[in-house]
Amino acid sequence: MSEESISSTPTPLPTRLSRLRNWLSLSGFVLAVSAFFAFVLLFSVDLFATHANPYMGILAYVVAPSFLLAGLAIVVLGYILETRRIPKDHPEMVSSFVLHVNLARQRDRRLLVGFVGGSLGFLFLTALGSYQTYHMTETNSFCGEVCHTPMEPQFKAYQHSAHAKVACVACHVGPGAGNYIRTKVSGMRQLYHMILGDFNRPITLHNVNQRPAQETCQSCHWSQKHTGDLQKTYRHFLADETNTPFTVQMVLKVGGSDPVHGPVEGIHSHMNVSNKVEFIATDESRMKIPWVKVTDANGKVTEYRTKEFTDDISKHPIRTMDCMDCHNRPSHKYLSPNAAVDQSMAYGRIDPAIPWAKAKVVKALVQPYATREEANQKIESFLRAEYPDEKRIDALVAEAKAIYKVNFFPEMKVDWRIHPDLIGHKDTNGCFRCHDGKHLAADGKTSIKGSDCTACHLIVAQGAGKDLEKVDPKGLPFFHIDSENSDPSCNECHNGQNQD
Ligand code: HEC
Ligand code: HEC
Ligand code: HEC
Ligand code: HEC
Ligand code: HEC
Ligand code: HEC
């Protein structure tokens, strides 16, 4: 445009605005406008989407604005370059830098058509691109796989859970404006740590989105439901030479908590429907609960505390118990090596006829390994050394590695010890954090209701073979294989990795 557009008559100094009339500034302008439209689009999709998405925040509030800023910076750059091109002592040359579009000239017409066409195309592609990207971030593979290393344990465990078909965002982005903004902010923070690679190993909920709210579960599960009894079978194999089977068949009294839909009874009687349980935890992972308060349907309040806990309660935050205080692993459950090997034996993937198989596979799994590769190598070499003449060794090694693959994540330092399942009481304190008989009411005698062996479940059959036929619907006293030990604090001995 330069030489050709020099006009013969001198023109006045360019106004500030006219210095913006250069191709660089114009392109910057188009970029900025596109980014702005992309932002508006993403923002509205995000606002009206049924399940808001944490990563949308990154696109709408980080990526789009960055392009907007870049566009504006290019506009300014064009302006500065244009200004610099005016020689100070030759103001008469100024006009040459003013963008003259003369539609009578073919060259200008072509340039203009190209520019407008290009800009429209760019705008269209930005809009389409943003929308597609939005959809991509909605998918579970985005949450689970794009952040591959940090999310791998949660993603793998999730794929083997009852919620494998429930979107991550359905649980991790709660309802309401507060949650919406919190997730945006935390999504950005996660991306930042992801890029820097300085995310925590393991990831716990103190640095991921806050834990789902009870309302989140209730968007699919109806807490008024009376579940009644559930029958469950727990199949174990002892860590002895013959891998002796030991099975417990139980009726879990899940019950319900809404008097309209059934009696208020059993395990689900504390669902915050007709009563409310509050507690104080003295550690972050809420394993130590020395104080509990229950408010029943009539408003009657009872407080329980352990003997050791003499603090003034106003010094501690009080939490209302919700689904996750029992179901803390609804979708990211890491099996303990005992549970995993029991399962493989019960399903016939490890042959219980291999002597000491339970003990040895558990032993191979629990060694400290730094990486998955190292684990795979050492698990294999250990088992091959233990069973030099075993015909089924290939299958045994393969199954041990398969167990390791979905339950152990050495790079992220995640396994059942980091994220214990609190639904029962055998390997962790679980229910016994409160129902241990040591939380007493003001009288110093009454313990929390539901703290004896038949309050939560009945054992209908136990043992192996013929023993399992001796069914008693009224419930049997627990026959402990290690009969001298009947201490209710089961997890003093059971830790998920017993090898003897
Ligand atoms: C059924 C609901 C649900 C779904 C679906 C779900 N999560 Fe979770 N997630 C939870 C709960 C509950 C916790 C925390 C439990 C606790 O308090 O310890 C959690 C915890 C986490 C944590 C923190 C670390 C941990 O294990 O405690 C991460 C990371 C995580 N989820 C990622 C994901 C990803 C990625 C997906 C999808 C692949 C997903 N979640 C799907 C319910 C869910
Ligand atoms: C988007 C819907 C949805 C949400 C949200 C959801 N769930 Fe579920 N949940 C399901 C479905 C569907 C199943 C049944 C899966 C099956 O058995 O095939 C299920 C099953 C379960 C089960 C039975 C598990 C089993 O092993 O059979 C439990 C317990 C449970 N959910 C707890 C929770 C908790 C706790 C939350 C909140 C953190 C939650 N769910 C959030 C849909 C949901
Ligand atoms: C006091 C602990 C506790 C609380 C609180 C609790 N549950 Fe449960 N829930 C259990 C136990 C124990 C079972 C039996 C299943 C098991 O042992 O895995 C169960 C079973 C279930 C099942 C499976 C029912 C079936 O028919 O298979 C669902 C779904 C469920 N709970 C959802 C919830 C939801 C949603 C909440 C919160 C509103 C909640 N639970 C609160 C302890 C609890
Ligand atoms: C934070 C403490 C706490 C935890 C953890 C807890 N509970 Fe409770 N539970 C209570 C309180 C408090 C009550 C009400 C007791 C009362 O009314 O005296 C209760 C009541 C019950 C009842 C009803 C007893 C009755 O006869 O009315 C059952 C059954 C029960 N819980 C089972 C469980 C199971 C199963 C778990 C573990 C999955 C569990 N609880 C975990 C505090 C807890
Ligand atoms: C507060 C409720 C509660 C009390 C009290 C309680 N249990 Fe349990 N127990 C549970 C729940 C819930 C499970 C199921 C856990 C699961 O589904 O993984 C369970 C599971 C078990 C199992 C099967 C575990 C397995 O892996 O094989 C045995 C055995 C057992 N309980 C024995 C006892 C004995 C003995 C007592 C008395 C000292 C007792 N329970 C008291 C709630 C309770
Ligand atoms: C003093 C230690 C100790 C205490 C306390 C204890 N156990 Fe055991 N338990 C053992 C030993 C040892 C075995 C045999 C383990 C093996 O050979 O695999 C065993 C075996 C079992 C088994 C069958 C095999 C298996 O690995 O699951 C069950 C079920 C069991 N215990 C449940 C419980 C329950 C429930 C409690 C609490 C009420 C409890 N135990 C308390 C030491 C203990």
Side-chain angles (χ1 to χ4, degrees), residues 212-219 223 271-273 321-324:
Q214 167 141 331
E215 292 74 50
T216 311
C217 314
Q218 283 166 333
S219 67
S223 40
M271 294 275 274
N272 299 322
V273 177
M321 191 173 173
D322 64 19
C323 317
M324 268 78 61

Side-chain angles (χ1 to χ4, degrees), residues 53-118:
N53 177 325
Y55 300 95
M56 268 296 292
I58 298 168
L59 283 179
Y61 311 110
V62 177
V63 178
S66 315
F67 276 95
L68 184 71
L69 285 181
L72 293 178
I74 294 174
V75 172
V76 174
L77 184 72
Y79 177 90
I80 293 172
L81 289 181
E82 192 71 356
T83 310
R84 280 211 187 148
R85 287 176 61 197
I86 306 168
K88 284 208 181 78
D89 43 344
H90 291 288
E92 75 285 357
M93 282 181 66
V94 151
S95 62
S96 65
F97 304 112
V98 178
L99 181 67
H100 288 292
V101 181
N102 183 351
L103 289 183
R105 269 191 313 195
Q106 203 195 16
R107 182 182 166 278
D108 279 21
R109 274 201 307 273
R110 261 196 254 121
L111 260 174
L112 189 72
V113 167
F115 183 75
V116 171

Side-chain angles (χ1 to χ4, degrees), residues 169-296:
V169 290
C171 283
H172 284 290
V173 182
N179 281 322
Y180 176 82
I181 292 164
R182 258 202 301 278
T183 346
K184 298 299 112 173
V185 175
S186 114
M188 286 182 243
R189 209 178 43 229
Q190 284 167 37
L191 182 75
Y192 171 76
H193 290 300
M194 169 77 199
I195 292 168
L196 290 187
D198 70 344
F199 45 83
N200 290 5
R201 297 169 179 81
I203 291 181
T204 58
L205 277 177
H206 312 293
N207 48 46
V208 118
N209 291 343
Q210 74 291 34
R211 143 177 137 158
Q214 167 141 331
E215 292 74 50
T216 311
C217 314
Q218 283 166 333
S219 67
C220 297
H221 296 285
W222 190 44
S223 40
Q224 278 79 4
K225 178 181 170 182
H226 190 269
T227 303
D229 292 342
L230 276 184
Q231 172 142 9
K232 281 215 170 189
T233 303
Y234 303 82
R235 295 178 66 182
H236 305 288
F237 295 83
L238 302 186
D240 57 10
E241 187 174 356
T242 53
N243 308 301
T244 311
F246 186 89
T247 295
V248 186
Q249 270 176 27
M250 292 201 314
V251 164
L252 285 164
K253 302 176 183 174
V254 182
S257 63
D258 180 20
V260 180
H261 297 97
V264 177
E265 61 181 10
I267 300 169
H268 272 182
S269 65
H270 38 43
M271 294 275 274
N272 299 322
V273 177
S274 58
N275 60 13
K276 183 166 140 192
V277 175
E278 290 159 290
F279 66 87
I280 288 173
T282 50
D283 63 333
E284 273 195 341
S285 47
R286 306 194 190 113
M287 294 306 286
K288 296 194 185 75
I289 301 182
W291 181 91
V292 184
K293 169 177 150 184
V294 55
T295 310
D296 75 7

Side-chain angles (χ1 to χ4, degrees), residues 234 236 250 423-426 431-432 435 450 452-453 456-457 478:
Y234 303 82
H236 305 288
M250 292 201 314
I423 197 84
H425 55 77
K426 188 172 156 225
C431 314
F432 287 2
H435 293 280
D452 58 274
C453 297
C456 304
H457 49 62
F478 177 48

Side-chain angles (χ1 to χ4, degrees), residues 54 138-141 143-144 155 158 163 166-173 332:
E138 273 273 294
T139 60
N140 298 338
S141 61
C143 304
F155 188 55
Y158 156 91
H163 293 103
V166 172
C168 314
V169 290
C171 283
H172 284 290
V173 182
H332 318 291

Side-chain angles (χ1 to χ4, degrees), residues 289-290 305-306 308 429-440 447-448 450-452 488-489:
I289 301 182
R305 60 164 81 211
T306 58
E308 300 77 42
N429 255 341
C431 314
F432 287 2
R433 286 172 298 163
C434 299
H435 293 280
D436 60 354
K438 292 176 186 150
H439 292 66
L440 304 174
S447 59
I448 298 181
S451 301
D452 58 274
S489 49

